[in-house]
Every structure is written in structure tokens, then in C-alpha cells.
Amino acid sequence: MNKLISLTCSAVLALLAMGAQAETRLTMSSWLPAGHPLVKDVMHPWAANVERATEGRVKIVILPSALGHPKMHYDIARDGQADITYGAQGYTPGRFALYKMVEFPFAGDSAERTSVAYWKVYNDYLAKAGEHKDVKLLGLFTHGPGQIHNSKHSVNSAADLKGLKMRVGGGIMNDLASALGAVTLQKPSSSIYELVSSGVADGTLFPLESVAAFHIEDKTRYTTLVPGGLYNFSFFVVMNRDRFASLSKQDQEAIDSVSGEALARLAGRVWDQVDADGLNQLKANGNEIITADDAFIAEIREKSAPMEAEWLKEAQAKGIDGKAALDAFRTLSHAPVQTAAN
């Protein structure tokens, strides 16, 4: 009887150990506020999708505080400080080049379209350059079309923008705002409330949702809408390469099934909705909202043309057919939204 009890206990302990081993917990470092749409409406649902796709074997735990500055989050995943991170290539100038394809003006009015187009064109044209080869790339997406928000006056020309101190995130938005005459302050989006409250910045380049999301609608009361966006902004979701390789093939495939295009579509769809909500909030708040006229659009086009030409050279230097990639992206980003099969 004692031997039977001993064997039974051993079997139970073995089963418990197997159960404990069955759940893999992956950590995510997140630098945006917990209530930001990118966190609560994209990262949390995506984490739930991963858990569901792996039948509970993999669980993503979003850490309560960031493990470093937003610009460090690619390296935080690469070096294994956290298993997964998200971030923006534009926060580290000079490190990445090809992401700028999605940041030129007039990319499109839908984040869902631009995000899905981005993922498809990246894989068809850009991936071979290996800019993300030291991590497992889980997703790429954009926010909604970037617009002009400031605390001083209406902006409907480069002359109106001249001298305004504008927070920018880097990349094309920084170069374009400078070319149009703004004084740029390259800071992460999370810093904007302090910047405009203290008068360090007169305004910011943001998608519509971010004005209310960062509680600056009473400070930046002048908004200029550029059809298709003055700019857009590239985001990544990456995972430590060795950590991904340690997962079973079944779980790797399950994670891939809810990442990539599916994650781009999720993020883009959320951003389209919150941009629409953000516009309504600005209207309800009594903020001035104007649309850039043809003359201002021509100025934007003129100032951005050399940047596009320079990007085509950068792409060529990396062995990429930049014109074909850019043409494909623009075609897809202006195509009707297709409902995902999953």
C-alpha cells in the first residue's frame, strides 16, 4: 500500500510538473500609459489572441512599467531583458532606413489599409535587407494619418508653421517639419503633455486620437488636417530571437498566425476607430479644425520630394527596388479595406 501511495504521489507530481512546464510566460515591456489605445486595445487583445491560439500554452505578461526609454525597446527585446517589445524605428535615427517608405506625406486616410500594406510590402520587397535580422519580427503597422496641432494660431501654409516649436517623433516627420520651417523637438509621444504645458513646445505632429489620449486638447486648440496625412509613423513589435526559437514549432506557428498581417489589421482598425473618436472629441471641445488647401499641399509635396529621392537611393544601396516597393505600398494603402478571413 505504501508503495502504491508513493507511486501515485510521484505520478501526480509528474503531471503537475508537466502542467507547469506547459505554460510559457513571455514578458512584454510597454512604455505607453496603460490606458493608451495601443496598449489596452491592441497589445492586450493581441496577447489574448496568442494565448488562445496556443491553447493556453503561451501567455504574454505585460510588465507594469517600462524597462527603459522608448528608444531602447528594440534592444531590450534583442538583448533578452524582456521577451517582447514594441517601439518606433524613428526613435533611433540612422539605425533603420526602409521604414521611411510608409512615413511620406499622403500615404492614406486609413491606418488599417496602410498597416496591412506595410506588412505585405515589407515581406515582398524590404525583408531581404535584413534590418530586423537580430530579432523575431512579429509585426509592423502605422498609426492614422499624422496632422498638425498647435497652441498659437491656424496653420495653412509653411509660413504659418515657421518658427513654431513642434514635438516630433523622428524620421520623416522630423525632416518634413524642419523643411516647412518648424523648430523641431525630437521627443517620444509620452512627453507631450509636459512639453506643451511648460511652453517648451508650441504643438505637435500627431494622429487625431493622440491629442485627447495625451490630454492636450485644451492646450493645442488649432488643428490642420492634411488629406492622406502630413506624415505617418512606423511601429514594430519584436521578440527575442532565441526566446522564440525555444518555443515548440506548434507554438511558433500559432503565434505567427495571430501576428504579422493579423496584428497589422488589428492595430490599424483600432487606430481608425480612435482617430474618428478623437476628431469628434476635438469638435466637441470647440477646437478649430481646418483642412489644408491646395497651395499648402503643393508646398508639402515640394518639400518632401527630395526626401523621397534620397530614400530611393538608400533603398538601392541596400539592394532594394525602392520605386517598386513604394508604388506597391501606395497602391495597397489606397485600396478598399478587405475583411480578414480570420
Side-chain angles (χ1 to χ4, degrees), residues 49-71:
N49 289 344
V50 168
E51 186 171 0
R52 185 163 47 250
T54 60
E55 299 177 328
R57 293 184 300 274
V58 177
K59 182 179 180 64
I60 295 173
V61 179
I62 300 178
L63 300 175
S65 59
L67 296 184
H69 190 279
K71 69 181 181 182

Side-chain angles (χ1 to χ4, degrees), residues 86-326:
Y86 62 87
Q89 288 95 334
Y91 284 173
T92 53
R95 183 170 189 172
F96 303 97
L98 298 178
Y99 75 94
K100 294 178 184 178
M101 175 191 73
V102 303
E103 298 195 349
F104 294 118
F106 322 121
D109 289 314
S110 166
E112 182 176 356
R113 286 197 294 267
T114 56
S115 295
V116 172
Y118 186 11
W119 181 254
K120 289 181 176 179
V121 172
Y122 175 83
N123 283 285
D124 289 346
Y125 294 92
L126 310 182
K128 65 181 182 180
E131 286 195 331
H132 304 91
K133 64 184 179 181
D134 48 359
V135 294
K136 163 65 179 177
L137 183 64
L138 295 171
L140 294 166
F141 55 89
T142 74
H143 60 37
Q147 311 295 2
I148 304 168
H149 314 275
N150 85 95
S151 61
K152 298 298 185 181
H153 52 72
S154 303
V155 171
N156 200 22
S157 68
D160 293 335
L161 197 55
K162 187 174 182 178
L164 287 180
K165 296 173 290 184
M166 303 293 286
R167 187 231 58 109
V168 298
I172 292 299
M173 66 189 295
N174 177 65
D175 299 340
L176 183 55
S178 295
L180 289 168
V183 177
T184 58
L185 307 171
Q186 190 168 335
K187 301 286 185 179
S189 56
S190 53
S191 69
I192 188 58
Y193 186 86
E194 180 181 351
L195 290 172
V196 296
S197 296
S198 63
V200 172
D202 297 320
T204 184
L205 302 186
F206 258 168
L208 286 166
E209 66 79 26
S210 296
V211 178
F214 289 102
H215 309 295
I216 60 169
E217 65 272 25
D218 290 329
K219 303 182 184 301
T220 55
R221 298 190 66 89
Y222 300 92
T223 289
T224 303
L225 303 180
V226 177
L230 174 67
Y231 73 98
N232 214 306
F233 203 59
S234 169
F235 292 90
F236 59 77
V237 180
V238 296
M239 182 173 175
N240 180 268
R241 191 171 57 183
D242 292 338
R243 189 73 164 116
F244 185 79
S246 73
L247 301 175
S248 68
K249 184 178 180 181
Q250 180 184 14
D251 287 341
Q252 290 178 1
E253 291 175 351
I255 292 171
D256 282 339
S257 74
V258 296
S259 303
E261 183 177 338
L263 177 54
R265 195 176 297 278
L266 168 64
R269 188 171 294 160
V270 165
W271 230 302
D272 284 342
Q273 181 58 59
V274 295
D275 268 353
D277 294 343
L279 179 59
N280 289 334
Q281 287 175 292
L282 295 183
K283 289 178 178 178
N285 200 52
N287 291 27
E288 179 187 283
I289 302 168
I290 64 172
T291 299
D293 62 21
D294 290 344
F296 190 20
I297 289 172
E299 288 183 301
I300 295 167
R301 201 177 297 279
E302 177 189 0
K303 296 298 185 182
S304 63
M307 300 171 197
E308 185 175 318
E310 181 61 28
W311 181 82
L312 291 173
K313 293 178 182 178
E314 289 181 309
Q316 184 179 26
K318 289 177 174 285
I320 302 298
D321 186 341
K323 185 178 186 305
L326 192 55

